[in-house]
Amino acid sequence: MFKRFFLILVIISFAVACSNKEQTMQKEKSNKEEEKEVVKLVTYPEQPTLAEEMVQQPAGIHSEDLYASLEGSNVDSELPMGSAIEDLVVQDLKAEEIYNGLIHYLGADYSLVFDSLKNFIPDYGAYDLSKEQPSLKNVAIHLDSSGSMNAQVSGGVKMDLAKRAIATYASGLPATSKVSLRVYGHRGTGSDNDKAKSCSSTEIMYNTHTYEQASFEQALTKFKPSGWTPLAASIANAYEDLKKSADDKSENILFVVSDGIETCNGNPVEEARKLANSDLKVKVNIIGFDVDDAGQKQLKETALAGKGTYYTVNSNVELNDTIQELLQEARTTYERNFEIAKIGYKINMKKVEIGQGIEDLGSSFMDVTDAEKDVLFEAVTRLEDQKEITPEMGEELRTIIDDRHIAIREYINQLEDEAREKNNTKHQEVISGLK
């Protein structure tokens, strides 16, 4: 009986053991199948194929641990590559999918070097005179050609002196300035019979344009002192003279040379006020040339209403001194032109310096992409050593990584070329600003 009982006990124990083993094997099989299913479900963000988009992707989740610096000198040999890729699942994935995973984990941070080169703006500092001269001077010159301008003052005939002073003023304005010349009172005579004719005489002699010496001096020969003084009518016409070349950046100026009061029943004070309050915001500057008290009073009020300045002169010397005062800004331009060769050399050197800066930005950008390639290649080698991928898969991944690296380097060269073009354009602007 005992032997039979023992045999039965052995048979039962063996059956239980076999059953437990089978259950364990089934459980392990089930776990492996679940793991396999998990592997199949792993997907990484798809990486772009255009270099411009590659460098704007977020940095890999382990990038801070793997790169020595944003300048990307080299891969640190002590970096924890193993821990960086330990969560990287590669089983049953294609090369492109593994590549997506590698960039997702290990891709470099390009943000700083990309922004610095993409948004590069050349800065010429103090040499960039456009910052000092934001406005274009738009000047209408009006000259009294009434009969009283035939009178003599110290230095010569008023009209002759006025013409020379106006020529000096026009030529001394910055080269980009627009200028026009209008005269008034140059028709008829000072007699009552000619008053209507003379009072309607206000005429453009030099159309709005940059200053051209021969044409401007020719314009000054087209009239002589003759009749009455339609100052108000002439001021009213200044709006259209200035409007031709005015823009939102122009400084609009009416410059009047007159030797007397309005004699044609107009209101020059009101006309000057209209100009100052117009959309052109014209400033009315007036030189009173050998003017009596009544004339000075009216001309001062006219300049005041026009938000400008009144100057009184009684001789050739005083006239020239006033012109030089009005041309203070232009004289500064002249003084700068005397130094143009020296300044031009410095600007050219600045261009070279900025060009070197562009090259340095490109070099830093290249360092980052070179470092990224080294990191990715090292990761592929680790995966091969750990038998996670085959050598054939490794070579396929290196080819994809190489293509990425080449594309980014070509894009960097493109950005450098664009930055150099910006530098060339700005250099020409700065040089032109000297003239």
Side-chain angles (χ1 to χ4, degrees), residues 230-236 254 256 261-262 265-277 282 284 286 294-308:
L231 175 59
S234 188
I235 292 175
L254 171 59
V256 180
I261 198 169
E262 163 78 28
N265 304 317
N267 188 339
V269 175
E270 183 58 29
E271 295 300 337
R273 183 175 290 111
K274 288 179 183 177
L275 279 181
N277 295 330
V282 180
V284 181
I286 300 177
Q296 285 203 44
K297 182 177 183 298
Q298 186 185 70
L299 294 178
K300 282 181 181 178
E301 290 177 355
T302 301
L304 181 62
K307 299 181 181 179

Side-chain angles (χ1 to χ4, degrees), residues 136 170 174-179 206-213 215-216:
L136 168 73
T176 56
S177 300
K178 297 299 176 63
V179 62
Y206 186 86
N207 283 307
T208 304
H209 200 276
T210 52
Y211 175 77
E212 293 179 352
Q213 183 177 355
S215 300
F216 195 86

Side-chain angles (χ1 to χ4, degrees), residues 31-43 89 91-93:
N31 288 341
K32 287 182 179 180
E33 287 177 352
E34 287 178 5
E35 287 180 8
K36 190 173 183 180
E37 186 65 26
V38 169
V39 169
K40 288 182 179 180
L41 292 176
V42 169
T43 57
V89 178
Q91 289 87 351
D92 297 331
L93 296 184

Side-chain angles (χ1 to χ4, degrees), residues 357-373:
I358 293 170
E359 188 173 325
D360 291 343
L361 289 175
S363 179
S364 295
F365 206 153
M366 291 287 188
D367 286 344
V368 174
T369 195
D370 289 348
E372 181 187 67
K373 177 184 174 181

